[in-house]
Amino acid sequence: MDKIRLIIPSRAKHCNEVITGALMLRQQGWDVELVDHSREDSPFRSLPVVQAEYRGKKLLYDTWDGYHDLKGMRLGLDWSDYYFKRSFSQTKNQELFPEDAGKMYPLGLYYYVTYPGNPLQEPLWKAAVRPLLGKTPDRYFVPKVFEGDGDAPGGDPPRILFLARLWGRETGLGDDAVNDGREAISQSRIEIIRTLRREYGDMFIGGIDDSPLSRKMAPDLIVPRELTERRHYLKKVHESDICISSMGLHGSIGGKTAEYVAAAKAIVHEEMCYSVPGDFREGVNYLSFRTAQECVEAVARLVESPELLQSMKRANAAYYQQYLRPDVLVKNTLEIVDKTI
């Protein structure tokens, strides 16, 4: 078995999914070496990437939201032989990096997940303090806490979930279009939650977290902290049948989507801008929407069709096992190397 040398240049939380996958492979008997360079000078130190060396090739795992840091991407492309990108668009690759598009591959859905032995885990003192602040230590969020059963019976009537945060304008982003996009995301989330509350009443659990921006934009939609704290939120995910995702920053597919897939839920998702590995299909793994009304119509389609709802749960449970489980996500990238050298 060929050795995998994983180099960690950054302490960005987005890197944890790839690190978790490598640690799981090591637990299964793979020859995996982790090299933590996150506290040393590196051109990648400020970037959410993980580097790897495997079979004489250099692999870069890019967990960025979208394509907003082209300079950072150029740095990664120059270093790597294989470039695995979370927010993957073949069209953008061809337009922006035509000479390197052939070595770019979709990495897959992202969520924050960790594993024992992860060098990026918070120190023990911080983990001990978190419960005193009403928060769950990061080390709790290992793969098994996300995983659900696609054959588990749903509620009658089905339970619908959409808990979100709002994004406001920020100085220093250097681009009015970026700030306009942040505001559009927030307005869309507010409209969807208000509409679903009106349409589904107690069947729907939804709202926004408490923040100064939330108090300004939609104070009527703020939900108790017990619902938005991550461990309690995951409990609600597992108790729900239909889970809703809207577009993330820079058009990215947000972490909630991966959590819904891992939990084997039926998903209603804002139209996706990016591609993921495998056969993740509209109408099979999720229903898409562009407006709040289309979101409500997609939810209604699942509520009125228990067969579709259950088949979507099974499809997402299968997708998790084949493409998203962190060890499989990393293993699939290594198999691409195996097949192409």
Side-chain angles (χ1 to χ4, degrees), residues 11 39 120-129 139:
R11 300 196 69 79
R39 301 189 186 277
L120 299 192
Q121 279 186 337
E122 61 191 358
L124 286 173
W125 70 264
K126 191 171 184 179
V129 169
R139 63 192 64 229

Side-chain angles (χ1 to χ4, degrees), residues 129-299:
V129 169
R130 278 188 177 272
L132 303 178
L133 302 175
K135 298 180 179 179
T136 303
D138 282 353
R139 63 192 64 229
Y140 169 81
F141 297 101
V142 296
K144 67 179 181 180
V145 307
F146 296 94
E147 295 171 356
D149 179 3
D151 291 316
D156 186 15
R159 292 151 294 196
I160 307 157
L161 179 74
F162 185 35
L163 294 166
R165 62 175 295 184
L166 302 183
W167 299 100
R169 302 185 78 85
E170 286 190 7
T171 58
L173 291 178
D175 189 342
D176 284 341
V178 173
N179 273 320
D180 291 345
R182 291 166 70 93
E183 286 191 335
I185 290 169
S186 295
Q187 292 293 350
S188 173
R189 291 175 177 180
I190 288 169
E191 186 178 357
I192 289 167
I193 292 168
R194 284 193 172 137
T195 305
L196 289 172
R197 277 189 177 185
R198 184 171 62 249
E199 293 288 332
Y200 286 102
D202 292 341
M203 289 172 60
F204 176 62
I205 298 172
I208 56 177
D209 66 346
D210 191 0
S211 70
L213 181 63
S214 299
R215 292 177 213 136
K216 179 181 178 181
M217 294 186 68
D220 57 308
L221 300 184
I222 294 172
V223 294
R225 185 176 177 181
E226 289 75 18
L227 277 179
T228 57
E229 195 279 328
R230 195 160 186 244
R231 183 174 184 174
H232 295 298
Y233 165 75
L234 281 176
K235 184 174 184 291
K236 289 299 178 185
V237 170
H238 285 298
E239 292 173 353
S240 300
D241 302 291
I242 302 167
C243 297
I244 299 166
S245 285
S246 64
M247 186 184 299
L249 292 178
H250 307 286
S252 64
I253 303 172
K256 282 186 172 65
T257 305
E259 292 170 355
Y260 299 159
V261 172
K265 300 302 171 182
I267 299 171
V268 173
H269 200 291
E270 190 167 6
E271 200 167 53
M272 294 184 185
C273 300
Y274 298 116
S275 304
V276 299
D279 197 14
F280 193 74
R281 288 185 291 156
E282 204 281 336
V284 177
N285 299 90
Y286 67 97
L287 299 180
S288 66
F289 67 90
R290 289 168 295 179
T291 66
Q293 184 56 41
E294 287 183 358
C295 178
V296 173
E297 291 169 0
V299 170

Side-chain angles (χ1 to χ4, degrees), residues 317-330:
Y319 185 86
Y320 173 77
Q321 294 295 336
Q322 294 168 11
Y323 295 100
L324 176 58
R325 202 178 70 204
D327 58 331
V328 175
L329 180 143
V330 173

Side-chain angles (χ1 to χ4, degrees), residues 2-6 25 30-33 52-54 334:
D2 292 279
K3 182 175 184 175
I4 308 154
R5 187 169 184 261
L6 202 74
L25 290 177
W30 288 63
D31 185 1
V32 177
E33 177 190 6
E53 296 171 355
Y54 174 68
L334 303 178

